[in-house]
Structures are given as C-alpha cells and as structure tokens.
Amino acid sequence: MALSKLPLSTIFFFFLYTSLLTISQVLSSKIAVAQIKDQQDNEPFVGINIGVDVSNLMSATELVSLLQFQKVTHIRLYDAAPDMLKALAKTKIRVIISVPNNQLIAIGSSNATAASWIGKNVLAYYPQTVITAIAVGDEVLTTVPSSAPLLVPAIESLYSALVAANLHNQIKISTPHSASIILDPFPPSQAFFNQSWSSVMQPLLKFLSETGSPLMMNLYPYYVFMQNKGVVPLENSLFKPLTPSKEMVDPNTLLHYTNVLDAMVDAAYYSMKNLNFTDVVVLVTESGWPSKGDSKEPYATIDNADTYNSNMIKHVLDQSGTPLHPEITSSVYLYELFNEDLRSPPVSEANWGLFYANATPVYLLHVSGGGTFLANDTTNQTYCIVMDGVDSKTLQAALDWACGPGRTNCSEIQPGENCYQPNNVKNHASYAFDSYYQKEGRAAGSCDFKGVAMITTTDPSHGSCIFPGSKKITNKTKTVMNTTTPSNAAGGSRLISIIRSSRVSAMDRALQAFLTIIFSILLHIPFVVS
C-alpha cells in the first residue's frame, strides 16, 4: 500500500515509533559500551600477586573468600588455574591470568594452540570472571632467554584469538620484565634497554603501542638498595620523608627523586623513549619487601616490609605520578599475598607475603588515611588472640597470669557467662589476652604473653560472646571464611581500589526507561489502514 494513502495519524505514529526505536538502540549501545569500559581501570590501583608455593594452601573457594573479606579487587595469578577462575566468578575481582614460561614455545609456534588456550582459559570463564589482562610468560628475557624469539609471536597469536572472540578491547596482553633488562637505570634519563634484546623489545613495544597495552615491569627497590648499599639511602628505598639534600637528582633533567620506585618507573619510560615509544604506560606487576632474611639480608625485617608496602600503597593512591610523568600514576601489584614457604633459599624468598598460609597476617599494614583504599581502618581496630600450635600447659600459665597478676577482667569466661563456651583453654586465653591488650591501650608489647599471642584485625567475637576490643558487629564486618579453619582471616591489608563512578549518566538510563514506557503504549495503539 502506498504511503500517501495512509492516514496522517498512522504515518505520524510510524515515524515516531521508528525514531524512538533508533534512539533506544543508540542508548542501549552506549550503555553496553560503558559497562565494558567499567571493567577496565582508568584510575591507579594496588593489586596483589598470588603465588602458590605454599604448604597446606587453602582451597580456591576459601582463598577467594579471604580476598573478598580483605576487599582485594585486583589480583595477578601466575597461571590460569581453573579452580581459581571458577571461584572468582561473579565476584567482580579483576584478574590477570598468565601463560607459564613452559607453554611459550607451543603457543608461539601455533596459532591453533594459542586459540585453544584462549578458549580453555578465557572464553570458558569470561565475563562472569573479570579477566582484564594476560601476562605471557614471566621475566622471559632474563630467565628463559632461549624462548625469547617466540615471545612476541606468542603474544600476537593470543591477541589474534582475542580479536576473533571480539575481546581484544576488554583484555590486554603483555609480558612482565625484570628490571635488569634496563641498563644504566640511574639517572633515569640515561637508562636504556639492553641492546641484545632489541630484536624483541622493538616489535613488543610496537604491539603494546598499537593495542593500548601496558609495559609490565617487576620493580623491587629492595634489590636496588641491597646492590647499592652506601649509595642508595634506605629511607629513599622505603618512601620515607627526605631532606632535599638526600633526594636523588637527575643531573640531566634536574628532576628530584624522593623514592627509588619512581626512579625505576621513569627509567622504563626513558628506555622506551630511546626506542621512539612515548605512548605506552608502565604497569608494575610486582613490587614488595621481604619481612625476614638470613644473616646476609639484615634489612629484610617486618618493620621495613611494613614501611615499604604501607608507604607504596599511599604513594599510588595519592596519584602524584613520577617526576617525569606527574600526570601518570602506575598501578602496582604488591608481591605477594602469602609467604611461599616452599621456595628455595635464601630465606627472604619465602617471606614476601602479607599472610601465612592459614590466613593470619605476617604483619599489619599501616595505611590509615589512605582514602578509599581501606574498607576499614585496620590499624585502629586490632585484637589479641592465641597463636596456633601452643600447648595447653603453656597457655594455662599465660591465662593464669592474665586473670591474676595481670588484673584482667575475666568474668565473661566464667561458667554460665557469654564467653565460657567453647570451654577450652585456647578460647578462654584468647578472651583474656584481648581483655589485657585493650586494657593496656593496645600498647606495644601488651600482646605477647611470652610469645604465645598475636595481633589480628579480625574480630574474634562469636555468637553472644563479644570480645573487649570489638566494635558493634554487623554483617559487613563478620568474616566469610570457614569457621573451621585454624585461624580466622585477618590482616592489615584490606586492599580496595578506587571505585569509579558509572560512565553512564542517570539521564541516559532515565531516558531509556521513558522510551520503554512509550513503546509499550504505542504497541497498544492500532494502526488504522483504510
């Protein structure tokens, strides 16, 4: 039927309907794109590496519960373990998965193998599990140089598989490097990549530039300090405040460096600039400080580890950038979640973690005042409880002292009172220890009891038994860890990234809702054809 023969009202409603439909489709597309972008990070964050060379490692489900309780929102895995990727589903925790070094040759030699890897380790889990990047190998140039010729081909093959799945904009691909690929790193303006790797770095940086992917670097001021004692001040390595005379100055640019990590990041930028690449961002995939070492590692201490990691976190969240690029703050993945006790010597290798395998903290970070980084101020809410593995006789002696000479209020652990059950010396001692610790104002040394007590940030209250140091208990503060584990999840490392506001405006969503209502009305108005 000719359009001219239709009533004007019908023509009007027809064009109104099609116009509104077009607007709605545009809005739906805009919202979908914004939701994809919301899975990417435009703000600097602190994530954490998860190594698994740990005896009695908790299950993937328990591990993810620990991450959620600690408000960790970004992690890096050294593989693509299916149990972890399943457990991470619907948690919104952003994860970097990795291709182990021993798989590089196969993937770099075969597009089909690369496509199969993407299918098995990405498509099987995404988007329920938010995979943000793939780290192809780890420090390949310095640890397995024989695989170096296949590094870029492996990256390109994996990227092609992502393109085929239309995921190349959501998931970035890169490869973590050791800081040792950069020669003459200070002053940063003189830094350059080891020229023996030019055949790899040139095409790699070209790929990173074209795909908007970061240069992944593992940067450890600890090793810089240990290799340059007497030249690099400890304070500079630990982000401690410095007098101007102690700041490192680049004589070529006159830029002042107040900490070693910034200098290492800028050395990477200058190295890229020397190869004519200025649009690739540095992502620090590893950085940390060991809490224990052997006799040759006297600076691997809990105090230094706490100081470095706490100050590094504050530095990232301050978004102050580096002297060369104050407008760009690199995100950092802290090394690491657990002490990997199965690692080979030196002693420090097994002592980089924030937690022991049973989820008790090695030490408490001090990041209060870190804005939205902390879910709660863990440095101000601590408790004193019994350590695992202490014999009952020793505990009883400590309990007797706390409730006697220590003048602790132990009335709540008497028969019939709220904290009497479970009726065992460990439970009673934990209550008494915390009572003494709080009475003493949580002073240094007040949670020791001859080495049988430890500080935790997890509220040990249970049921109607409220510990002395407890604040009002809500569902948000109760641990989601299985209560049968040896010790409740705890730690001063409640890691949370800066949460960005939605990119989709409220007006867009309101307009789309309005259009939906109009559609429903129009669909119920008959088109009159005569």
Side-chain angles (χ1 to χ4, degrees):
M1 182 178 292
L3 188 62
S4 61
K5 295 181 179 181
L6 291 174
L8 288 176
S9 61
T10 302
I11 295 173
F12 170 75
F13 279 118
F14 174 77
F15 281 110
L16 176 62
Y17 181 85
T18 53
S19 298
L20 291 174
L21 181 62
T22 300
I23 294 172
S24 179
Q25 288 172 339
V26 170
L27 279 173
S28 296
S29 175
K30 182 177 179 181
I31 290 172
V33 169
Q35 287 172 337
I36 289 172
K37 288 182 177 179
D38 275 340
Q39 292 193 358
Q40 300 171 354
D41 292 287
N42 287 338
E43 298 286 352
F45 60 84
V46 177
I48 196 160
N49 289 277
I50 302 178
V52 294
D53 286 340
V54 179
S55 55
N56 302 314
L57 183 66
M58 61 181 64
S59 70
T61 302
E62 291 173 324
L63 203 163
V64 170
S65 293
L66 172 63
L67 295 174
Q68 290 178 303
F69 179 66
Q70 296 297 330
K71 300 298 186 291
V72 176
T73 56
H74 295 77
I75 64 171
R76 175 186 170 214
L77 304 178
Y78 289 91
D79 53 21
D83 56 342
M84 274 297 294
L85 294 179
K86 288 178 185 176
L88 287 165
K90 299 181 180 179
T91 64
K92 297 184 180 180
I93 294 174
R94 290 163 162 80
V95 56
I96 295 178
I97 60 174
S98 301
V99 177
N101 288 345
N102 59 13
Q103 296 180 23
L104 276 180
I105 294 177
I107 291 174
S109 304
S110 168
N111 289 335
T113 301
S116 175
W117 195 94
I118 292 294
K120 177 182 177 183
N121 299 295
V122 177
L123 302 185
Y125 305 102
Y126 188 89
Q128 286 78 15
T129 297
V130 185
I131 299 169
T132 58
I134 301 171
V136 183
D138 187 34
E139 301 187 352
V140 174
L141 302 185
T142 50
T143 57
V144 281
S146 59
S147 297
L150 288 172
L151 179 58
V152 174
I155 289 173
E156 292 175 338
S157 294
L158 291 166
Y159 181 75
S160 296
L162 285 181
V163 171
N166 199 28
L167 292 177
H168 56 294
N169 289 323
Q170 295 94 299
I171 301 174
K172 301 301 181 182
I173 302 184
S174 188
T175 181
H177 296 286
S178 164
S180 62
I181 68 166
I182 296 175
L183 302 182
D184 201 8
F186 197 87
S189 60
Q190 293 180 192
F192 60 94
F193 291 119
N194 188 328
Q195 294 179 358
S196 62
W197 297 120
S198 294
S199 60
V200 176
M201 293 306 299
Q202 191 77 36
L204 172 62
L205 291 172
K206 182 174 184 291
F207 170 86
L208 299 179
S209 175
E210 291 174 348
T211 61
S213 299
L215 175 69
M216 294 179 171
M217 297 294 301
N218 297 339
L219 304 178
Y220 289 95
Y222 170 74
Y223 289 126
V224 173
F225 170 74
M226 291 297 290
Q227 294 162 9
N228 298 275
K229 282 183 291 186
V231 178
V232 177
L234 179 63
E235 293 84 358
N236 200 297
S237 305
L238 296 175
F239 291 92
K240 286 187 173 182
L242 297 173
T243 59
S245 63
K246 286 191 174 182
E247 292 178 358
M248 298 184 294
V249 180
D250 187 322
N252 302 312
T253 63
L254 300 183
L255 292 174
H256 286 238
Y257 287 86
T258 59
N259 66 84
V260 174
L261 184 63
D262 279 354
M264 297 179 81
V265 170
D266 277 357
Y269 279 121
Y270 278 112
S271 297
M272 288 192 283
K273 187 178 180 180
N274 284 334
L275 294 179
N276 297 315
F277 292 96
T278 57
D279 58 351
V280 178
V281 174
V282 173
L283 173 65
V284 182
T285 37
E286 289 181 13
S287 193
W289 197 284
S291 61
K292 186 179 180 180
D294 57 31
S295 59
K296 296 180 180 179
E297 302 170 299
Y299 298 95
T301 66
I302 283 179
D303 283 346
N304 285 344
D306 176 13
T307 300
Y308 177 81
N309 287 326
S310 297
N311 288 340
M312 181 270 288
I313 291 166
K314 293 175 188 175
H315 184 68
V316 172
L317 298 183
D318 282 346
Q319 301 187 48
S320 54
T322 65
L324 177 63
H325 285 298
E327 77 286 3
I328 303 173
T329 299
S330 292
S331 295
V332 178
Y333 284 82
L334 193 151
Y335 187 82
E336 59 182 328
L337 185 63
F338 294 119
N339 271 354
E340 294 188 84
D341 59 305
L342 299 180
R343 282 193 167 273
S344 303
V347 172
S348 62
E349 277 297 297
N351 290 279
W352 291 84
L354 298 179
F355 293 92
Y356 296 108
N358 64 0
T360 57
V362 178
Y363 54 90
L364 301 181
L365 293 176
H366 292 76
V367 203
S368 56
T372 55
F373 182 77
L374 291 176
N376 293 297
D377 188 351
T378 55
T379 62
N380 288 332
Q381 187 177 351
T382 54
Y383 311 86
C384 182
I385 61 173
V386 170
M387 293 183 70
D388 289 329
V390 181
D391 65 90
S392 297
K393 184 177 180 181
T394 303
L395 273 186
Q396 186 63 57
L399 174 60
D400 292 343
W401 183 89
C403 295
R407 297 184 179 182
T408 298
N409 183 358
C410 296
S411 59
E412 285 294 304
I413 54 176
Q414 300 306 311
E417 299 299 329
N418 288 336
C419 295
Y420 180 69
Q421 297 292 343
N423 180 20
N424 59 61
V425 67
K426 182 176 180 181
N427 176 65
H428 292 176
S430 283
Y431 183 92
F433 290 178
D434 189 56
S435 182
Y436 180 82
Y437 175 62
Q438 304 300 333
K439 177 174 72 75
E440 296 297 313
R442 293 175 290 190
S446 61
C447 181
D448 182 66
F449 297 93
K450 295 187 176 180
V452 301
M454 68 177 187
I455 295 172
T456 178
T457 56
T458 295
D459 190 341
S461 302
H462 51 88
S464 60
C465 176
I466 307 301
F467 270 54
S470 175
K471 296 180 180 180
K472 184 178 179 181
I473 302 298
T474 68
N475 289 333
K476 291 183 179 179
T477 58
K478 287 184 180 179
T479 177
V480 293
M481 288 295 290
N482 187 333
T483 55
T484 61
T485 47
S487 178
N488 289 335
S493 57
R494 297 172 182 256
L495 307 179
I496 187 168
S497 70
I498 298 174
I499 300 174
R500 293 168 286 117
S501 59
S502 174
R503 295 179 174 83
V504 183
S505 70
M507 183 65 73
D508 287 338
R509 295 191 185 276
L511 182 56
Q512 190 184 44
F514 171 73
L515 291 175
T516 301
I517 295 172
I518 295 298
F519 285 151
S520 66
I521 294 173
L522 290 176
L523 289 173
H524 287 83
I525 298 176
F527 289 100
V528 180
V529 180
S530 60

